Amino acid sequence: MDESLTSRQLTKCDECRFGAHIEWSELETSDVELLNTTRRTRSHRRGGTIFNQDDEPQGIYCVSGGYVLLWRIDAFGNETAFGLVGPGERIGYRSYFAEDRHAATARALTDCQVCLVPSRTMRRLLDGNPALVRRFLRTLARDPGPSDGLLLRAHQVPIRVRLVSLLLILRDRFGVRGPDDSVEFNLPLARQDIAALVGARAETVTRTIKELEEDGIAIFHGRHVDVPHLDQLYEIVGIDEPV
Amino acid sequence: MDESLTSRQLTKCDECRFGAHIEWSELETSDVELLNTTRRTRSHRRGGTIFNQDDEPQGIYCVSGGYVLLWRIDAFGNETAFGLVGPGERIGYRSYFAEDRHAATARALTDCQVCLVPSRTMRRLLDGNPALVRRFLRTLARDPGPSDGLLLRAHQVPIRVRLVSLLLILRDRFGVRGPDDSVEFNLPLARQDIAALVGARAETVTRTIKELEEDGIAIFHGRHVDVPHLDQLYEIVGIDEPV
DNA sequence: CGTACCGTTGAGGTGAGTCAAAGTAAGTGG
DNA sequence: CCACTTACTTTGACTCACCTCAACGGTACG
């Protein structure tokens, strides 16, 4: 390891170049080294699974590249997606801390790179670092969990609204600002995935998309979406645009 | 404090007489004393609120007597109940660890007694006790959170099934075994509360109850419920009865 | 160039919501 | 103890958003 690196730089994981907002930022330099030497980087092709529902957790995963969909099959056989995770985020920590099998399957939506921080490493890191523990406690407490993570599955809310809400939620990750207040998306989601996220059937998603297109609110070309006027999205969900 | 008490007995909170399954069982005797001297016991009448959605958390609450309903109003104005908490359980810990305002309102379903363990005490307890932290991490990770805590709000699952599932979930708390495989309930829930728990309207709950009565599956007299054959409940949800 | 998956479209059914009104129970005050 | 208010519960009629099933066109990929 390059001795000329400052302590500040050393607090970064080789892979992720994470910022101060994530849990590892609590790590001491020696801990970062432990993290760097014991984590296992894995590549997954689109469609691959990072872990499966009911698997025994191996540790905590860091997504360093690409996007991952978290979904589960409930007792009644329904597929429900409740999270979409991208670079710089962790997955699998709920099961790790619950000391229980994975409640969800993590599927690569795009080709992606994921680092596994093995349980052994996690234990060592957590044992010596109360601040890190506190950080994970907070993450866990704020994570809506394998339930309605996106708050998109509320009854009484029409699919149309849920779909638009989804777009708004995905804007930060996949939206590219165009001229005026237009936004373009390149979603890594199949219709089925969208359906699982908003709690509907793929056919209904298709139909709802058609509606949105007829109203000129959002134009879908496959997985590419054009939103001419962002305001209209906020209008539909009935929430004022946050500054 | 009675000097004759054994250390074993001292590990019990004066109020709760809790068992080994709850977080405080990790406490040292000195910590238990701290807990006993700083906690604030409060009584609430039926209908009273223990804390309100968007309130700043004051600490963690222990329910020592009575039942509490956790519910929230989401961005679309829907009331959703996601938890029913009884004696020996904690509430408010999610917001405490999230370092965020309460995501839900806690309402007393019955007259009840609740102890507040103030944030200061919590900090002191957690700081000196990694095992306690680990315990809360697990609790948090296993708690489905302010989402569909009871897994009763899944789309595609008819209200009838959700209602029966609710009964099965509430059996441990409110069910009293009768002759044969019959069970009697005395629920502390209004129709509206049931509706909020299963994600439906009160009218629909009424109608569904009527259906169940016509089929001889469950007979409701106000808040008293007679279930002549428990098997039938399991049959409806399509899950074999767990041993 | 076929196989498999994804996406679209149509027809038809229905579970649960909405609205409105009446009935019932529960608590309050004179 | 009764009159009154207030909240809870039930019932009915109506509507519709979404599901289901089924068929077909597109597109990707070996």
Side-chain angles (χ1 to χ4, degrees):
Chain A
M1 188 156 282
D2 189 346
E3 293 291 328
S4 71
L5 287 174
T6 67
S7 140
R8 179 86 195 99
Q9 287 174 306
L10 271 176
T11 61
K12 302 206 173 199
C13 170
D14 294 346
E15 197 65 53
C16 285
R17 310 277 131 194
F18 49 73
H21 66 289
I22 80 165
E23 296 84 5
W24 308 138
S25 64
E26 303 291 347
L27 294 181
E28 310 287 326
T29 9
S30 64
D31 284 345
V32 174
E33 203 160 340
L34 175 64
L35 185 67
N36 273 324
T37 52
T38 58
R39 68 181 164 70
R40 278 174 261 154
T41 304
R42 291 174 187 173
S43 292
H44 296 268
R45 315 230 91 230
R46 174 144 85 96
T49 62
I50 290 101
F51 54 77
N52 268 299
Q53 192 171 341
D54 298 327
D55 275 358
E56 208 65 54
Q58 312 275 309
I60 289 182
Y61 300 81
C62 281
V63 180
S64 52
Y67 288 92
V68 175
L69 187 73
L70 293 168
W71 60 279
R72 58 175 270 119
I73 301 186
D74 66 26
F76 303 101
N78 305 310
E79 287 187 23
T80 307
F82 58 88
L84 200 158
V85 180
E89 294 185 87
R90 259 116 337 271
I91 56 178
Y93 53 83
R94 176 170 298 271
S95 324
Y96 173 77
F97 288 114
E99 300 167 21
D100 215 344
R101 288 157 183 280
H102 283 298
T105 297
R107 188 179 81 232
L109 286 172
T110 60
D111 290 353
C112 65
Q113 267 205 323
V114 178
C115 291
L116 169 63
V117 182
S119 301
R120 282 192 57 173
T121 303
M122 280 309 301
R123 263 196 297 280
R124 283 184 59 186
L125 292 176
L126 291 167
D127 278 352
N129 194 333
L132 182 65
V133 177
R134 222 175 300 126
R135 204 53 178 270
F136 269 108
L137 266 167
R138 198 176 69 183
T139 301
L140 207 48
R142 292 188 167 182
D143 176 1
S147 329
D148 59 1
L150 295 174
L151 297 174
L152 289 176
R153 245 158 294 104
H155 277 110
Q156 278 106 310
V157 181
I159 304 283
R160 181 189 171 91
V161 175
R162 283 186 252 165
L163 192 58
V164 169
S165 304
L166 179 64
L167 278 180
L168 287 173
I169 289 170
L170 298 180
R171 182 161 71 101
D172 294 337
R173 297 162 188 271
F174 306 104
V176 179
R177 197 100 204 179
D180 299 321
D181 58 341
S182 72
V183 184
E184 286 185 38
F185 295 80
N186 271 309
L187 303 180
L189 297 162
R191 293 287 182 271
Q192 279 185 6
D193 300 325
I194 297 177
L197 280 164
V198 301
R201 298 279 121 154
E203 297 96 314
T204 307
V205 170
T206 297
R207 281 186 251 268
T208 310
I209 284 173
K210 209 174 151 194
E211 263 183 57
L212 291 175
E213 290 181 332
E214 282 165 1
D215 298 349
I217 289 161
I219 319 299
F220 287 67
H221 298 105
R223 298 179 184 191
H224 181 90
V225 189
D226 278 311
V227 175
H229 300 288
L230 190 58
D231 310 359
Q232 295 183 316
L233 299 190
Y234 285 104
E235 232 169 79
I236 288 173
V237 299
I239 298 169
D240 295 332
E241 176 166 12
V243 185
Chain B
M1 184 156 287
D2 189 346
E3 293 293 328
S4 72
L5 287 175
T6 67
S7 139
R8 179 83 195 99
Q9 287 173 306
L10 271 175
T11 60
K12 301 201 173 205
C13 170
D14 294 346
E15 197 64 53
C16 286
R17 308 277 132 194
F18 49 73
H21 65 290
I22 81 165
E23 296 83 4
W24 308 141
S25 64
E26 303 292 347
L27 294 181
E28 310 287 327
T29 6
S30 63
D31 285 345
V32 173
E33 203 160 342
L34 176 64
L35 185 67
N36 273 324
T37 52
T38 58
R39 67 181 164 72
R40 279 174 259 155
T41 305
R42 291 175 187 171
S43 294
H44 296 269
R45 314 228 93 231
R46 176 144 84 95
T49 61
I50 289 102
F51 55 76
N52 268 299
Q53 192 171 341
D54 297 328
D55 276 359
E56 207 66 53
Q58 312 273 309
I60 288 181
Y61 300 81
C62 280
V63 179
S64 52
Y67 288 91
V68 175
L69 186 74
L70 294 168
W71 61 279
R72 57 175 272 120
I73 301 185
D74 65 26
F76 303 101
N78 305 310
E79 286 186 23
T80 308
F82 57 89
L84 200 157
V85 181
E89 295 186 87
R90 263 115 336 270
I91 55 176
Y93 53 83
R94 178 170 296 273
S95 324
Y96 173 78
F97 288 115
E99 299 166 22
D100 215 342
R101 289 157 181 279
H102 283 298
T105 296
R107 188 177 82 232
L109 285 173
T110 61
D111 292 352
C112 66
Q113 267 204 323
V114 178
C115 291
L116 170 62
V117 182
S119 301
R120 280 192 56 174
T121 303
M122 281 307 303
R123 262 196 299 280
R124 282 184 59 188
L125 291 176
L126 292 167
D127 277 353
N129 194 332
L132 182 66
V133 177
R134 222 174 300 127
R135 204 55 178 268
F136 268 109
L137 265 167
R138 198 176 69 183
T139 302
L140 207 48
R142 292 188 168 183
D143 176 1
S147 329
D148 61 359
L150 296 174
L151 296 173
L152 290 175
R153 244 158 294 104
H155 276 108
Q156 279 106 311
V157 181
I159 304 284
R160 180 188 173 90
V161 176
R162 283 185 251 166
L163 192 57
V164 170
S165 305
L166 180 63
L167 279 180
L168 287 173
I169 289 170
L170 297 180
R171 181 160 74 100
D172 294 335
R173 296 162 190 271
F174 306 105
V176 178
R177 197 98 204 182
D180 299 321
D181 57 341
S182 71
V183 184
E184 288 186 36
F185 295 80
N186 270 308
L187 302 179
L189 297 163
R191 294 285 182 272
Q192 282 184 5
D193 299 326
I194 297 177
L197 279 165
V198 300
R201 298 278 122 153
E203 296 97 314
T204 307
V205 170
T206 296
R207 281 187 252 266
T208 310
I209 284 174
K210 210 174 149 194
E211 263 183 56
L212 291 176
E213 289 180 333
E214 284 165 359
D215 298 349
I217 289 160
I219 319 298
F220 287 67
H221 298 105
R223 298 180 183 191
H224 181 90
V225 189
D226 278 311
V227 175
H229 300 289
L230 191 57
D231 311 0
Q232 294 184 315
L233 299 191
Y234 285 104
E235 232 169 78
I236 288 173
V237 301
I239 299 168
D240 294 332
E241 175 167 12
V243 186

